[in-house]
Amino acid sequence: MDDEMMGMRLDEREFLEDLRAFCAERGTSVDINARVNTKHINLYALFKTVYERGGYDKVSAEKLAWRKVGQAFNLGQTNTAAYAFALKTVYYKNLAAYEIKKVWNKEPPPKEILENVSAKGGDLLTRTLENFKPPQNRDSAVNGNDSDISGDDERKTPKEEKMDIDEPGSGGGRVTRGLRQAPPQRQLFQPDVSSSRQIRNTPSNIQSPQPFHASTNVGYTYNPSSNPSSNPNSSSFSIANYEPRMQMPLTLRSVVTPGNNPSLFRDRVKKIREMQAAKLGKSPSSYKGMMLPGTGFDGPNIYVRTLLALRSGIAGEQDYALHHLVKISHERGDKYKFEAFPGLAEGLIEKALEVSSLFYDIKWVVSYGNNSSTSDPSALDGMNATSDLLSRIQNLRQISFKDDVETEDFDRRLSKINEAGLVIRNMSMLEDNAKYLSEQHPLRDFLTIALNLPRHVALIELKHYALDIAEQLTKYWSLSSTDPLYLSLLDYLCDGSDRGVALTTLRAISRISMNLEDSNRLQGVPISALQRLCIWTLLDDEELIAACLDFFYQFTATAENVAILLIHEAKGNLSLHPLLSQLGRLLLHNSQETLSKRLVSPAVPAKVATDIPALPAELLEQLMSYGEPERSSHWLRACFEEDSESDITQIALWQAYQARFTKPQNPQNLLAAAEFIKNVSNTFPTANAQVIVGAVNRFIIKGIRPRHVPMDTKGREYSRCLWRSPGSSKSCGVCYLKPGAMWEHMVTSHLGLSQNDEGRWNFLEVKTAAALNGHTFDCHWAGCLHYSKRGGSDDPYEVGMHIKMHLPDNSAMAGHRAKYNKPGSPDRSAKSSLNDVGDKLSEHVLLHGRPAIYDHFAWYNTAVDERGDAVGLPLTSVLVLKNFARNIPKAAVMLESELTDFAEPTPKQGWMNRLLGPIKPMLGYVLSHNRPLATYVSDLITAIESGMEG
């Protein structure tokens, strides 16, 4: 579709105006107040709904699609087929042509084959006068029906076409059985009634253009001197203005034959015979008032028909019923309920129970009498389910047959039994049907029988159906540890050779008594099943892990089951550490990282320097070696930097230049004042000389400011000594280029150390002298408080090594560390490098400034529902861990007497430390980084702490 053209941007008013204009131009009418079932149909909403579903042709091609469209307009729950066709007609009459023109940008068919005919069928985009055939009435149509035309869909026979009962990618992972294909419909013979003779056209039949009469041209004045082609009485005028006749659609009518209308010819033959009998004096038989066979009563609908056929016991009728029930349960399972058809569930169960007769010498009979099931081994207790069914199945005598050869009768019977099982499986997906089937105790016996049938390839499909049914029904049953169905499900869980079987079995067991007040205690689970479940939780299979965690949540809800796990853990039969570690990791399953940023300290701008920095001796000596004007340019770059908002007076700049380079013995080598000021603009392109007009004119250089520390000719900044001696208001201020020279300056000038002739520092002598005088050493670099708590250090070597922390690292390994070491957080490193004392900023920060300091925190939030509550594997994992933390102390008390035979009893604190202690750091991390699970993990940590203490 052309989304750019439509875009559904028109509002309803503009849409209706455009629709009216289109219909007026087309010559059709539009019913703005159309109604279906006394309800007004909004044409704009209807057009938008069909547009979103792909257009009229696509909706008409999809089965039952117009019913789905009608659900949006709340037309009613009864007679939905008639309402759907009425809604389709509203769209067809008012909007179909508009859609073809505006949406598909094509010319719609003429109204004679669109608005003027019935809305049956589709394919409007390809409909033309040549290929369109008017729809026939029901009485005369052959094999013609439309699911949206009539309201008696229940009476129709569904087609036998292949369908997938299970959705693709389902947990079962198996290939479903397809239905039988319906034979192709026969095409009726349509004879060609046109004549094959060529008709010779006579001159009298040739139509020639007729001249127009002047009397018909109102207001026309004839001028003989004009062009003959404009004269209406001339032949030239007729030829020039000739217009061919408009082609009219050719209406074809089918030839009535005995093949396409047998009733008409039957009536004709009847009348001929009656006329012949009247001529012979015989009066025809009078059937007036009599109801002839096959007339007057249409019979039961398809639902009642299938029910009666299934309960008849006749093989052919049962085949008919099962064939149609499979189709009905798949397509209309959301409305087909057992309670509306008494006896249907019982008939399907009886048919499914016949499967035992194919493999065992027995025919099960459902008995609803008292104690009848104990006297007859083939009688099933229809009132309370058969308690000893497993022992009966074990005692059955199996029929011998070849595994690779099946008879035709065997295949037909098994196919019908599978169809019965499939119908029950399909209908159990509806909640009302599942609740109804849960009250059918023979169905419980059938599930046990089906799950314990021999291992045969032909029975795989039926066993899958039985597991699917059990998954839907176990939530209504309370199964004890000796129940035959519960034991059969545990056997399948221990097998675990098929992923689909394992998934369905786990779900069926985990849902036992879910909708009842009784708790699902899951007693008697074999150790082999528990071992498999612990291994399955480690796989990279989210669906299988979810099923295992649902089982463990039910299993660990009781202290007795946790005690069983602890016993096998102590005996070495089971290792719980991988399971619990995996549960801890699953707390952050599919988590999304979200960074939050919090301002710790605002940015501090650098302080503007007011004094021109003094040049170190080595830099001044280097600049003296240059000639002018290079020397003045290097000096300006060393002491000043560009700043568009700052300025300095010309006289101050000139005097500073003179003070640095004037030598009494050689005063003539300096630039003149005018040349020096001009050289400033050459050195800094953004700087320029200006005059500030006022009471006293000020001559300034705009665009530069003094540096805090000088810079050498290679662009390297010097470091200023920030040592502030006690009692002094200013720092030392001496500048050095290399950190080593700065360190030597501090230890010699501020710590009082010196080097001997061998180049060694006299740490020992200074330390001894300080000890005698009671003197201590301290670091006074930019307000450093490293030794403030202990009042200094008596070792000058320790203080000297500490001073290196304030200096840049330019050692041989600095590049290696910068390349391979993991850098720290820039915010943290910036924060740690500044020595702020309370609200008072250090001298380094005041001079050079600093960026804003932020705290970055990462949240790892897991999936939530629409209310913001945790869902999925993280929630199930924390619930299982809470069951462990709550029941381990209770289980440890139960085990104090049972473990004395092979091991020393472990106190409950020991079990908690042993099993849940290793995951406590992970729980703390989840608590601080996962908002949806914070409440659950907090309760879990509290339970673990109380278990360790008590």
Side-chain angles (χ1 to χ4, degrees):
M1 293 186 179
D2 193 351
D3 293 339
E4 291 296 328
M5 181 187 70
M6 291 300 296
M8 301 311 293
R9 297 189 298 267
L10 298 177
D11 57 13
E12 183 174 357
R13 181 179 59 82
E14 295 176 348
F15 172 82
L16 294 178
E17 292 178 356
D18 189 43
L19 179 61
R20 287 193 184 98
F22 174 80
C23 293
E25 180 181 357
R26 181 172 171 81
T28 59
S29 60
V30 56
D31 187 6
I32 301 298
N33 300 318
R35 291 183 176 273
V36 174
N37 190 22
T38 70
K39 294 185 179 180
H40 174 257
I41 302 301
N42 189 323
L43 296 184
Y44 176 72
L46 178 60
F47 182 79
K48 187 175 180 180
T49 302
V50 177
Y51 169 82
E52 293 173 350
R53 288 179 172 268
Y56 178 87
D57 284 355
K58 187 173 181 181
V59 174
S60 300
E62 182 181 350
K63 189 174 184 63
L64 304 180
W66 282 105
R67 295 191 187 184
K68 299 177 183 177
V69 174
Q71 292 175 359
F73 294 87
N74 195 19
L75 300 180
Q77 300 298 326
T78 60
N79 203 11
T80 56
Y83 296 154
F85 183 72
L87 183 65
K88 178 182 178 183
T89 303
V90 171
Y91 190 94
Y92 180 84
K93 297 291 185 181
N94 299 282
L95 299 171
Y98 182 81
E99 174 196 329
I100 297 173
K101 180 64 176 178
K102 300 296 184 179
V103 178
W104 302 103
N105 198 19
K106 295 183 178 181
E107 288 298 327
K111 60 182 180 180
E112 290 79 9
I113 61 173
L114 187 58
E115 289 90 344
N116 295 350
V117 298
S118 173
K120 296 180 182 179
D123 296 332
L124 297 185
L125 293 176
T126 58
R127 179 179 295 185
T128 62
L129 294 172
E130 291 75 15
N131 62 18
F132 176 70
K133 294 182 179 180
Q136 300 175 350
N137 295 329
R138 177 181 296 273
D139 296 336
S140 62
V142 179
N143 293 332
N145 60 50
D146 194 321
S147 61
D148 289 331
I149 293 176
S150 63
D152 58 346
D153 286 349
E154 298 177 355
R155 301 172 56 86
K156 295 182 183 178
T157 301
K159 298 178 181 179
E160 298 182 10
E161 57 186 15
K162 287 192 175 181
M163 61 181 178
D164 291 333
I165 303 303
D166 293 332
E167 295 179 0
S170 62
R174 58 185 179 272
V175 180
T176 58
R177 171 175 59 85
L179 299 177
R180 294 188 296 270
Q181 292 290 334
Q185 297 183 357
R186 296 178 179 176
Q187 300 294 331
L188 297 179
F189 171 72
Q190 298 290 342
D192 186 8
V193 296
S194 61
S195 176
S196 60
R197 291 173 47 191
Q198 295 183 356
I199 300 176
R200 180 176 300 172
N201 295 328
T202 61
S204 59
N205 294 331
I206 299 177
Q207 295 182 359
S208 60
Q210 299 298 326
F212 288 85
H213 296 285
S215 59
T216 62
N217 297 313
V218 179
Y220 176 80
T221 303
Y222 174 66
N223 187 4
S225 61
S226 62
N227 191 342
S229 63
S230 62
N231 185 359
N233 296 323
S234 67
S235 59
S236 300
F237 179 85
S238 301
I239 296 174
N241 294 275
Y242 168 72
E243 292 183 0
R245 290 185 179 182
M246 182 183 299
Q247 292 184 357
M248 299 299 293
L250 180 62
T251 303
L252 300 178
R253 183 173 58 186
S254 59
V255 177
V256 180
T257 65
N260 59 22
N261 199 343
S263 59
L264 177 62
F265 282 85
R266 186 166 51 249
D267 293 339
R268 290 180 179 177
V269 172
K270 180 179 178 182
K271 291 180 180 179
I272 293 173
R273 290 178 179 176
E274 290 178 353
M275 293 174 61
Q276 293 177 352
K279 292 180 180 180
L280 298 176
K282 297 180 180 179
S283 60
S285 300
S286 177
Y287 300 104
K288 186 176 181 181
M290 296 179 59
M291 181 178 293
L292 299 178
T295 61
F297 180 66
D298 295 335
N301 57 29
I302 188 64
Y303 302 120
V304 179
R305 174 75 174 85
T306 53
L307 173 61
L308 297 177
L310 181 65
R311 302 293 290 175
S312 67
I314 303 173
E317 290 293 321
Q318 289 184 340
D319 293 350
Y320 168 86
L322 291 173
H323 164 69
H324 288 280
L325 285 174
V326 169
K327 191 78 171 179
I328 294 172
S329 64
H330 175 64
E331 295 182 352
R332 305 173 188 176
D334 56 338
K335 298 180 180 179
Y336 195 40
K337 299 182 180 180
F338 281 117
E339 59 184 8
F341 302 94
L344 177 60
E346 292 81 353
L348 291 171
I349 296 172
E350 291 175 2
K351 186 64 178 179
L353 287 172
E354 295 179 6
V355 67
S356 296
S357 302
L358 300 178
F359 298 92
Y360 299 104
D361 188 13
I362 192 173
K363 182 178 181 181
W364 300 108
V365 178
V366 180
S367 175
Y368 296 93
N370 295 327
N371 299 326
S372 59
S373 60
T374 58
S375 58
D376 185 4
S378 63
L380 300 177
D381 189 355
M383 301 296 294
N384 302 303
T386 308
S387 58
D388 60 341
L389 185 57
L390 285 180
S391 60
R392 295 189 188 183
I393 295 175
Q394 294 174 356
N395 296 329
L396 293 178
R397 184 174 62 87
Q398 187 171 352
I399 299 176
S400 60
F401 60 91
K402 293 184 178 180
D403 194 23
D404 55 344
V405 178
E406 297 178 359
T407 62
E408 181 180 358
D409 180 67
F410 178 90
D411 181 70
R412 186 191 64 81
R413 293 174 60 189
L414 182 59
S415 176
K416 296 305 171 183
I417 293 172
N418 285 337
E419 288 183 355
L422 178 58
V423 173
I424 299 175
R425 181 260 184 197
N426 288 347
M427 298 188 66
S428 66
M429 299 299 168
L430 187 62
E431 196 67 25
D432 293 341
N433 286 338
K435 189 173 182 180
Y436 182 90
L437 289 173
S438 65
E439 301 172 358
Q440 302 293 325
H441 297 288
L443 178 61
R444 201 155 131 191
D445 290 340
F446 161 71
L447 297 179
T448 304
I449 294 171
L451 295 178
N452 288 274
L453 289 172
R455 291 181 176 270
H456 193 277
V457 65
L459 294 173
I460 294 178
E461 181 179 0
L462 184 63
K463 291 183 178 181
H464 278 294
Y465 294 157
L467 288 175
D468 290 340
I469 297 170
E471 179 184 349
Q472 301 299 322
L473 302 186
T474 51
K475 55 187 174 184
Y476 297 105
W477 291 334
S478 179
L479 304 180
S480 64
S481 58
T482 58
D483 188 271
L485 178 58
Y486 178 70
L487 296 176
S488 301
L489 291 174
L490 289 180
D491 290 341
Y492 271 74
L493 190 61
C494 295
D495 181 16
S497 58
D498 184 89
R499 177 182 177 275
V501 172
L503 276 172
T504 312
T505 305
L506 278 172
R507 292 168 182 164
I509 296 176
S510 301
R511 296 180 182 182
I512 293 176
S513 67
M514 181 183 296
N515 289 11
L516 304 178
E517 296 182 357
D518 299 338
S519 59
N520 184 10
R521 305 184 68 86
L522 294 183
Q523 297 177 345
V525 180
I527 180 60
S528 59
L530 296 176
Q531 291 172 345
R532 287 180 178 273
L533 292 176
C534 291
I535 296 174
W536 289 345
T537 56
L538 304 178
L539 300 177
D540 186 15
D541 189 336
E542 185 173 347
E543 190 176 10
L544 183 59
I545 293 175
C548 294
L549 293 186
D550 289 340
F551 175 88
F552 275 119
Y553 175 70
Q554 297 289 340
F555 186 78
T556 58
T558 60
E560 293 80 3
N561 290 339
V562 176
I564 294 175
L565 295 177
L566 297 185
I567 290 176
H568 291 296
E569 169 74 18
K571 293 181 178 181
N573 299 331
L574 185 68
S575 179
L576 295 177
H577 290 285
L579 171 63
L580 296 174
S581 299
Q582 177 70 351
L583 293 177
R585 290 189 291 269
L586 290 175
L587 296 178
L588 295 178
H589 177 72
N590 285 342
S591 60
Q592 300 293 329
E593 181 181 6
T594 305
L595 294 178
S596 62
K597 189 177 182 180
R598 182 177 65 89
L599 179 65
V600 176
S601 180
V604 178
K607 183 180 179 181
V608 178
T610 57
D611 298 331
I612 300 175
L615 295 179
E618 67 274 10
L619 180 58
L620 180 59
E621 183 179 356
Q622 184 180 2
L623 295 181
M624 291 297 295
S625 63
Y626 290 102
E628 292 294 352
E630 288 81 7
R631 179 173 57 192
S632 60
S633 296
H634 285 299
W635 177 77
L636 288 171
R637 295 190 188 98
C639 298
F640 296 89
E641 60 184 351
E642 293 181 301
D643 184 4
S644 60
E645 301 298 329
S646 301
D647 60 77
I648 186 173
T649 60
Q650 298 180 13
I651 186 63
L653 186 61
W654 167 250
Q655 289 176 354
Y657 168 68
Q658 283 187 322
R660 293 295 183 272
F661 300 106
T662 298
K663 293 183 179 180
Q665 66 276 17
N666 191 16
Q668 71 276 6
N669 61 348
L670 298 180
L671 288 177
E675 295 180 359
F676 175 76
I677 297 302
K678 183 179 181 181
N679 193 39
V680 174
S681 299
N682 295 333
T683 305
F684 299 107
T686 59
N688 55 84
Q690 297 181 2
V691 178
I692 306 298
V693 180
V696 178
N697 293 339
R698 293 180 64 243
F699 297 87
I700 64 171
I701 300 295
K702 183 71 173 179
I704 61 173
R705 70 178 181 183
R707 293 180 178 272
H708 289 286
V709 293
M711 183 178 67
D712 70 349
T713 56
K714 296 182 179 180
R716 297 174 297 179
E717 286 191 347
Y718 282 77
S719 298
R720 182 189 297 272
C721 179
L722 300 180
W723 192 282
R724 181 181 297 178
S725 301
S728 176
S729 59
K730 292 186 177 181
S731 59
C732 174
V734 179
C735 296
Y736 290 93
L737 185 61
K738 297 181 179 180
M742 178 66 74
W743 183 80
E744 290 182 1
H745 160 73
M746 287 192 292
V747 296
T748 55
S749 301
H750 302 300
L751 293 183
L753 300 177
S754 61
Q755 289 179 304
N756 55 22
D757 297 337
E758 299 178 356
R760 295 180 179 274
W761 296 94
N762 58 343
F763 288 108
L764 183 59
E765 293 82 355
V766 174
K767 179 179 180 181
T768 303
L772 294 176
N773 298 329
H775 176 70
T776 58
F777 301 91
D778 199 352
C779 177
H780 298 288
W781 177 275
C784 177
L785 303 177
H786 183 71
Y787 296 101
S788 60
K789 293 184 179 180
R790 54 177 178 166
S793 174
D794 57 355
D795 188 359
Y797 177 80
E798 178 186 357
V799 179
M801 294 297 103
H802 164 74
I803 290 174
K804 291 185 177 181
M805 297 176 59
H806 299 295
L807 303 177
D809 184 9
N810 64 343
S811 62
M813 295 297 295
H816 181 80
R817 285 192 291 268
K819 181 177 180 180
Y820 295 103
N821 287 3
K822 181 179 180 182
S825 171
D827 295 343
R828 183 174 300 178
S829 60
K831 185 176 179 180
S832 62
S833 64
L834 304 180
N835 298 309
D836 297 351
V837 184
D839 296 334
K840 184 178 180 181
L841 299 177
S842 65
E843 184 176 355
H844 179 83
V845 174
L846 291 175
L847 291 178
H848 300 280
R850 73 169 183 200
I853 301 176
Y854 295 92
D855 248 346
H856 290 279
F857 190 82
W859 292 97
Y860 296 95
N861 297 324
T862 49
V864 295
D865 58 9
E866 62 277 1
R867 296 177 298 178
D869 297 332
V871 294
L873 293 182
L875 176 61
T876 314
S877 300
V878 73
L879 294 179
V880 174
L881 289 173
K882 286 180 66 176
N883 284 347
F884 272 105
R886 186 178 63 251
N887 291 322
I888 283 178
K890 302 176 185 178
V893 175
M894 300 178 184
L895 298 183
E896 290 181 355
S897 59
E898 299 185 18
L899 298 178
T900 54
D901 297 337
F902 60 89
E904 292 294 332
T906 303
K908 55 184 179 181
Q909 298 90 342
W911 281 113
M912 294 291 287
N913 287 322
R914 177 178 174 182
L915 297 178
L916 299 179
I919 66 171
K920 283 184 63 178
M922 185 63 183
L923 297 179
Y925 184 83
V926 174
L927 177 63
S928 58
H929 291 80
N930 191 316
R931 285 172 176 161
L933 293 180
T935 304
Y936 299 96
V937 177
S938 177
D939 297 340
L940 173 59
I941 294 177
T942 302
I944 294 175
E945 295 293 341
S946 61
M948 290 181 176
E949 294 175 359

